[in-house]
């Protein structure tokens, strides 16, 4: 095989497929990137058996062939090549002895037999939906934090993706909170309900450009999902089973509603968290009276106390939360003001907008009000 | 005690003295910053018994007093206060219950008895030298990398600082290499020869502004050194004993001299280091013939080979080095071209300039030339 590339083009392709390379594995071949130039185009592939990424890279095929190269050393070499206009050439012989050359730097490394490499599964392109790169990237950012990847319940490490007519709903939960985002699609689609591993979503969101004009096609099969955009394909296994039923938790009843300036509210929570270290997990207590939210936290390190103006309707209430959970949800709301709905100190609070774009449900925690 | 500050002024002072706060200690009081407002100015002090830093902070003294506060929580609180024009007020009662207040955020933390805090030793200001902040900061950067802080020989963790007339000489060595910088002072001073702990030098270089117009006064006593600049004093213990004799190693004899473009040479070494991982420490072999340096490295991961043009005088030579040691020295040379002097494959090479500002000595390593 003999190929020639521009450094930046090749490096970009390597960076994309590297997102599917596992950092630790017992199967060495999974740590490799497959270079497939057996037809008239050059494709790079990374595949950890759960998640596979393939991308097309512009380059010249001087001699067709296939080759697997260990991803880390391949990426290190290309990244450190001179930023010159000179081509990067990659040559391999029939024993996969590989030479990478640019300007006068010559690297020789041992490649691997491409036959050992597992190809990505074939997905029939029947049912699909279309969404902008921006919307998908945002939906992941706005929900991924409430998955629980290390939980014994594998379902909590994934996100529910549900298509109903022209609405794409994304849900994640970790036992203490639920995050829901609804995205309006341009067309109506057949209904779908699948669970995607959180890792797939977080890796794909790193590759997506976030451009509102560029689209992603998403194809569904029984066990897999395929994302196609620009020159890249991302294929992931799905998590099998039935996702948690959450509808009965999403009551719209409330007894207290406050509207607060999001930034001011967040800054105080952030300050309160100074008092939390290691195992000393103390809640932040919100005492809502009239048009004021008194926020306080008390730990073995000391205490913080602050007041925030709020527009309140309904009853006064004193309720406590894990401050990190409040902060995680508020951080991904792009509105200037946050609407928080509460029922009583034992029932979840809801942070949601009127348009129904998002719902963040957070369970309160027990507290002892010392004052 | 009751004090008022501007947030940024106070934070700047905390950041300076925090450089002397140890990250792990069994003596809790060492993790504290002393606030001393018992006279007409406010001074912050951090002291880990080896290194002590004191700095003056502008602020209003509404009620005189002293207080020790745990550095991490103090710094976290001040850093996260609102960036408003409002004053930060610090109040403590006679049991060191402390209140920090800004805008409407109120923090309460437990302070410590300032009597427990160890004051900085008193240094008589007899003998001293004067140097620009820039020169001192640079001299540390250009030599600190070849100290060996974890060596059983404590001397290798320090740097020799020698004053002779109007020359300040800084030396560090770790058994494989020696770094020497000579700095021209504006005046002649009494001769001095001391060994400063590497940690002191690296912490002080983080505080120095690097301004060429601003000066540092350095005072010497038998066991301590005192650096004074702007509103800050840094006091450090010295390492006792006699530093290594290095003069006999600094022969100016050589059989091969090359002049190479520093950046091109460094970039190739950097690329060669891709082939080195974990315990597979392989040398870079330089084969110098005519006006060419052939650089190559070979490890279990593969090989790299490159050629660099050089101006050579003297004999051809093949010699090998730990590539990291070459890179460390070249990185701190600000010249565009590097002059390297070699005797034979068993004797150290010297990277040095004609003016005598710097000498970097590096021991070669054994190698097997497979070609």
């Amino acid at each position: 095989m003999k190929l020639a590339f521009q450094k930046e083009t090749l490096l970009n392709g390597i960076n994309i497929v590297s997102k599917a390379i596992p950092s630790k594995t017992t199967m060495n071949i999974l740590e490799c990137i497959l270079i497939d130039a057996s037809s008239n185009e050059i494709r790079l592939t990374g595949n950890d058996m759960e998640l596979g990424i393939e991308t097309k890279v512009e380059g010249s095929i001087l001699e067709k062939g296939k080759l697997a190269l260990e991803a880390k050393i391949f990426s290190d070499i290309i990244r450190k090549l001179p930023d010159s206009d000179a081509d990067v050439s990659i040559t391999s012989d029939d024993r996969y002895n590989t030479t990478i050359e640019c300007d006068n730097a010559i690297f020789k490394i041992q490649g691997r037999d491409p036959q050992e490499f597992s190809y990505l599964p074939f997905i029939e392109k029947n049912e699909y939906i279309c969404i902008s790169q921006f919307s998908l990237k945002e939906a992941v950012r706005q929900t991924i934090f409430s998955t629980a990847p290390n939980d014994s319940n594998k379902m909590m490490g994934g996100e529910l993706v549900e298509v109903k007519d022209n609405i794409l709903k994304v849900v994640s939960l970790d036992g203490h909170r639920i995050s829901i985002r609804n995205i309006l699609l341009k067309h109506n689609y057949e209904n779908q309900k699948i669970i995607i591993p959180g890792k797939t979503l977080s890796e794909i969101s790193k590759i997506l450009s976030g451009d509102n004009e560029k689209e992603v096609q998403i194809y569904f099969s029984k066990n897999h999902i395929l994302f196609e955009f620009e020159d890249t394909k991302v294929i992931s296994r799905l998590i099998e089973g039935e996702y948690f039923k959450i509808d009965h938790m999403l009551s719209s009843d409330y007894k207290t509603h406050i509207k607060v300036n999001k930034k001011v509210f967040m800054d105080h929570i952030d300050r309160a968290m100074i008092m939390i270290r290691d195992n000393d997990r103390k809640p932040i207590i919100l005492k809502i009276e009239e048009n004021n939210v008194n926020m306080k936290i008390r730990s073995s390190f000391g205490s913080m106390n602050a007041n925030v103006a709020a527009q309140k309707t309904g009853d006064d209430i004193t309720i406590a939360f894990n401050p990190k959970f409040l902060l995680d949800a508020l951080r991904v709301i792009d509105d200037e003001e946050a609407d928080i709905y509460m029922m009583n100190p034992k029932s979840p609070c809801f942070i949601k907008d009127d348009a129904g774009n998002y719902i963040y449900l957070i369970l309160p925690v027990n507290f002892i009000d010392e004052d």
Side-chain angles (χ1 to χ4, degrees), chain A:
Chain A
M1 188 188 77
K2 190 169 168 62
L3 312 174
F5 301 90
Q6 284 294 301
K7 175 186 165 178
E8 286 311 317
T9 320
L10 178 56
L11 188 57
N12 182 45
I14 293 173
N15 287 343
I16 289 174
V17 301
S18 289
K19 301 287 186 292
I21 306 289
S23 53
K24 275 177 195 169
T25 166
T26 47
M27 281 177 70
N28 283 333
I29 191 71
L30 300 187
E31 290 172 9
C32 290
I33 290 174
L34 178 73
I35 307 175
D36 185 343
S38 57
S39 65
N40 290 319
E41 46 184 42
I42 307 172
R43 297 189 166 274
L44 304 184
T45 309
N47 185 5
D48 76 358
M49 310 302 277
E50 286 279 320
L51 171 66
I53 305 178
E54 180 188 293
T55 195
K56 205 175 93 183
V57 175
E58 287 305 317
S60 318
I61 304 176
L62 308 169
E63 193 191 305
K64 288 184 179 181
K66 283 201 266 186
L67 176 68
L69 290 179
E70 205 247 312
K72 183 172 182 325
I73 209 155
F74 184 29
S75 132
D76 282 350
I77 289 173
I78 304 305
R79 190 161 39 84
K80 294 212 168 172
L81 288 176
D83 290 310
S84 71
D85 291 333
D87 269 2
V88 179
S89 93
I90 302 181
T91 321
S92 68
D93 65 17
D94 50 6
R95 302 178 101 179
Y96 314 112
N97 292 309
T98 305
T99 306
I100 301 176
E101 214 171 330
C102 180
D103 261 353
N104 79 55
I106 304 170
F107 293 88
K108 287 186 195 293
I109 54 175
Q110 181 59 54
R112 297 279 298 257
D113 183 350
Q115 302 304 327
E116 291 175 42
F117 198 89
S118 306
Y119 272 82
L120 300 186
F122 174 76
I123 310 284
E124 260 197 88
K125 295 189 175 176
N126 294 327
E127 302 167 40
Y128 81 102
I129 65 163
C130 207
I131 183 173
S132 81
Q133 292 203 25
F134 173 79
S135 299
L136 181 57
K137 196 179 170 101
E138 281 291 284
V140 174
R141 178 179 74 87
Q142 291 163 337
T143 54
I144 195 78
F145 61 86
S146 63
T147 55
N150 301 319
D151 199 272
S152 59
N153 187 331
K154 218 184 164 187
M155 210 79 80
M156 284 201 191
E159 299 204 21
L160 175 72
V161 173
E162 196 175 346
V163 181
K164 217 171 192 176
D165 304 327
N166 65 341
I167 299 285
L168 179 85
K169 179 160 132 186
V170 181
V171 180
S172 71
L173 64 82
D174 68 359
H176 305 284
R177 49 191 172 158
I178 306 177
S179 304
I180 304 172
R181 281 275 166 177
N182 291 306
I183 301 125
L184 192 68
L185 302 172
K186 281 190 194 146
H187 307 282
N188 276 30
Y189 296 98
E190 213 163 308
N191 293 0
Q192 295 285 352
K193 205 169 179 177
I194 55 168
I195 307 160
I196 306 179
K199 182 169 183 304
T200 296
L201 292 170
S202 70
E203 296 303 334
I204 201 174
S205 79
K206 291 178 198 158
I207 308 172
L208 291 168
S209 69
D211 193 325
N212 209 359
E213 301 303 311
K214 291 186 182 163
E215 294 202 314
V216 186
Q217 264 81 38
I218 307 179
Y219 300 90
F220 303 90
S221 81
K222 193 169 170 299
N223 299 313
H224 290 93
I225 187 166
L226 162 62
F227 300 85
E228 265 196 17
F229 51 100
E230 295 168 71
D231 292 324
T232 302
K233 281 184 194 177
V234 178
I235 292 182
S236 166
R237 266 187 214 265
L238 297 176
I239 297 177
E240 287 174 51
E242 183 103 10
Y243 198 70
F244 309 96
K245 303 226 175 301
I246 55 163
D247 289 344
H248 66 284
M249 297 186 72
L250 303 178
S251 137
S252 59
D253 262 15
Y254 65 91
K255 288 207 169 132
T256 310
H257 165 216
I258 57 168
K259 196 187 263 295
V260 289
N261 179 296
K262 195 194 75 170
K263 173 141 192 349
V264 173
F265 197 62
M266 276 178 69
D267 283 350
H268 281 306
I269 300 172
D270 199 32
R271 275 169 214 135
M273 287 176 73
I274 298 171
M275 297 298 161
I276 302 179
R277 283 201 219 161
D278 312 327
N279 298 320
D280 193 45
R281 298 236 152 270
K282 286 289 192 296
I284 186 164
I285 303 173
L286 310 182
K287 191 172 201 160
I288 301 165
E289 285 175 339
E290 302 298 325
N291 286 325
N292 184 67
V293 183
N294 174 259
M295 307 168 75
K296 69 181 170 199
I297 197 161
R298 187 187 298 268
S299 77
S300 58
F301 296 101
S303 69
M304 191 219 67
N305 196 307
N307 290 296
V308 178
Q311 295 170 43
K312 192 194 75 169
T313 52
D315 302 349
D316 288 351
I317 186 174
T318 302
I319 188 169
F321 294 98
N322 176 333
K324 183 176 178 303
F325 291 171
L326 282 180
L327 210 53
D328 282 346
L330 291 166
R331 208 175 259 143
V332 295
I333 293 174
D334 294 325
D335 302 327
E336 229 175 275
E337 296 194 302
D339 287 285
I340 309 178
Y341 299 84
M342 286 151 285
M343 179 58 108
N344 62 54
K346 303 282 179 195
S347 302
C349 85
F350 293 86
I351 305 175
K352 59 184 182 181
D353 63 339
D354 293 336
N357 292 321
Y358 60 82
I359 304 174
Y360 292 97
L361 174 157
I362 303 171
L363 287 176
V365 292
N366 291 328
F367 65 99
I368 303 155
D369 197 358
E370 292 169 17
D371 298 341

